[in-house]
Amino acid sequence: LSESGEYYLRSNTGPYGAKNWTEPGNGYSPASMLLGHLSAAQYAEPNRPTSLQSYWGAYIQDDIKVNPKLTVNVGLRWDYDPGRTERYNREVFWDKKYKETIAPAAGWNWDQVRQESGIPDLPEPVWLKNGIWGRPVMIGKAPYADMKSSLADQSGFGPRVGVAWQVTPHTVIRSSYGLIRLTAAGNSSMGNAPWTLSYGGQAVGGWPYSSDGELTYPATFTDPFPNGVGYTPPFTTLSNDELKTLMLKGNWWVSSSSSYSIGFEHAVSFNIQRQFGQGAMSWVLELGYSSNMGRDLPARALYNGTPGVAQTIGKYGDRMTTTMVTNPFASTLPAGAAQGAAKIPVGQLYMANPLYQQLTIYGDPLGTVNYNAGYVQLEHRFGHGFGFLTNYTWSKLLQDCGSILSSEF
């Protein structure tokens, strides 16, 4: 009988900052910045997360010799993955359970879209019936004060069993099964939106340099971004409603999900060993099969597509992208919203969330992986430490999720 346990801790701390300037001529960029002769500028305030992800595990196992020809190994493992935390609650995710309060303008209806598009049988989009769902949120702020970047308690038991049976003096059959729970420890993609938000403020864009022959400059060191143009404040200074308003001014959102999954896999193996001959003339032939079946794996998915929409509106062809109709949200979205144009392509109304152009969420339990392999192996041992070994493996991998940061799903 043997038992063991383990504890794994990963933290991510440390400041960083980045800055660059582009000057219109062939001079020295920092000097041009000091003089105000800039065509573009970018700066990110030094800041980064201080996050903590722990993992706990324990297991017990024992070998049981049922009889001289049959041995059974049994084991049980317990895994515990608490949700990732950040010292200052600076973590964000996409809350797919939030029902959006922004609605189409009063008086707008789908018959108006049919009339403007010239397609009288144009089907209604799903959101018109079911509502618009989801928004970016921060933990530690109402109404998400007690949430973590993943499910607070992902734990469970994983049984293991192995069997070795000597069928004849020269034939042995071995088989095993194990349920293996994965872990989020070491995953750098959780709890943040690295392509959308900065832990510190950042300024990106064209520099409002002089328009009157360098006599005056609208930007100064005390007010480098007049009217706030070009500056994104640290998201931790915002409320969740302010964060949503800020993100609607962009056209996309990429972050982890509020239901980040660690996933698990079934591991199966089976093999037969047969010895031919005796002593120095003996050969061992082995036939085997192994399989790993991953389930509920964290996957990256494009959420703004509506399942089946291609079959629903595909017959209308290019008209979905070239026919412009009245945007029902033009007057209800915040000023400056990327999706706030007065006229939009009719196909845009078929997005799952028409307030955003692109939504990429990673971590939901959507991934499935199946790996199956069969092999044959032949071995002969000569004297004086020499041996002969040859094998052949045939395998096949099927998966629908790729890596966590890939766009293969």
Side-chain angles (χ1 to χ4, degrees):
L1 179 68
S2 61
E3 65 283 328
S4 181
E6 61 183 324
Y7 169 69
Y8 181 81
L9 180 94
R10 183 179 190 272
S11 62
N12 184 11
T13 61
Y16 75 95
K19 55 184 178 294
N20 61 69
W21 307 278
T22 303
E23 53 91 32
N26 296 315
Y28 183 54
S29 294
S32 297
M33 185 274 293
L34 295 173
L35 292 173
H37 298 198
L38 289 177
S39 59
Q42 175 178 338
Y43 179 75
E45 295 173 349
N47 218 332
R48 71 180 302 173
T50 307
S51 58
L52 178 67
Q53 175 70 53
S54 59
Y55 161 78
W56 299 79
Y59 69 91
I60 184 172
Q61 68 177 29
D62 194 13
D63 290 321
I64 304 172
K65 199 169 185 64
V66 180
N67 58 52
K69 294 184 178 181
L70 179 63
T71 300
V72 178
N73 176 280
V74 292
L76 186 66
R77 183 179 180 88
W78 174 77
D79 298 280
Y80 175 61
D81 247 277
R84 179 169 296 182
T85 60
E86 205 276 338
R87 184 179 300 170
Y88 305 105
N89 282 334
R90 296 175 302 178
E91 292 188 307
V92 294
F93 56 83
W94 179 260
D95 181 13
K96 59 185 178 183
K97 296 181 180 179
Y98 172 82
K99 189 170 185 178
E100 184 56 69
T101 57
I102 296 176
W108 178 88
N109 58 67
W110 193 249
D111 288 335
Q112 178 182 345
V113 177
R114 289 171 173 153
Q115 182 178 1
E116 292 181 1
S117 64
I119 307 175
D121 61 341
L122 193 65
E124 293 185 354
V126 174
W127 61 263
L128 198 56
K129 177 182 179 180
N130 299 336
I132 301 173
W133 295 84
R135 73 167 179 177
V137 296
M138 293 176 285
I139 66 171
K141 293 190 177 182
Y144 306 93
D146 298 327
M147 294 190 71
K148 299 181 180 181
S149 62
S150 62
L151 297 178
D153 184 4
Q154 296 194 83
S155 64
F157 291 96
R160 271 88 160 159
V161 60
V163 176
W165 177 32
Q166 187 179 14
V167 183
T168 71
H170 301 290
T171 304
V172 177
I173 295 177
R174 294 182 177 87
S175 182
S176 67
Y177 167 78
L179 191 153
I180 303 172
R181 297 186 179 275
L182 308 180
T183 176
N187 191 332
S188 61
S189 65
M190 291 177 59
N192 61 70
W195 299 276
T196 313
L197 292 176
S198 170
Y199 285 90
Q202 62 178 343
V204 181
W207 184 269
Y209 56 89
S210 177
S211 61
D212 56 8
E214 303 179 6
L215 296 177
T216 61
Y217 294 90
T220 65
F221 283 110
T222 55
D223 186 17
F225 301 98
N227 301 318
V229 176
Y231 179 70
T232 301
F235 68 85
T236 52
T237 65
L238 308 174
S239 68
N240 275 309
D241 288 336
E242 290 171 332
L243 175 65
K244 182 181 75 171
T245 298
L246 177 64
M247 291 301 101
L248 286 171
K249 292 183 179 180
N251 60 4
W252 59 304
W253 173 265
V254 182
S255 77
S256 59
S257 168
S258 57
S259 56
Y260 200 102
S261 172
I262 58 175
F264 64 94
E265 67 178 14
H266 302 282
V268 179
S269 71
F270 177 85
N271 69 62
I272 301 176
Q273 281 186 335
R274 170 71 178 177
Q275 178 181 321
F276 298 92
Q278 296 291 332
M281 300 300 294
S282 67
W283 293 76
V284 177
L285 176 66
E286 181 174 342
L287 302 175
Y289 164 78
S290 62
S291 175
N292 286 77
M293 297 166 284
R295 297 294 183 266
D296 293 343
L297 302 177
R300 185 184 190 195
L302 300 176
Y303 262 71
N304 226 8
T306 303
V309 71
Q311 291 75 20
T312 302
I313 63 175
K315 61 182 179 180
Y316 302 115
D318 292 344
R319 285 187 289 177
M320 292 294 98
T321 57
T322 59
T323 303
M324 307 298 287
V325 297
T326 299
N327 183 358
F329 303 101
S331 60
T332 57
L333 282 169
Q339 302 292 81
K343 295 284 187 177
I344 58 175
V346 64
Q348 188 171 310
L349 292 175
Y350 285 92
M351 291 182 174
N353 188 322
L355 307 183
Y356 294 84
Q357 191 173 62
Q358 177 182 326
L359 292 174
T360 303
I361 312 300
Y362 47 89
D364 276 335
L366 303 174
T368 299
V369 173
N370 290 325
Y371 172 80
N372 293 279
Y375 69 92
V376 57
Q377 177 174 293
L378 183 64
E379 181 179 7
H380 177 66
R381 294 181 180 179
F382 301 98
H384 307 290
F386 290 95
F388 170 82
L389 176 68
T390 183
N391 60 63
Y392 176 80
T393 300
W394 178 88
S395 64
K396 187 172 185 179
L397 171 68
L398 295 174
Q399 56 88 19
D400 60 7
C401 56
S403 66
I404 184 59
L405 293 180
S406 77
S407 56
E408 298 176 23
F409 187 81

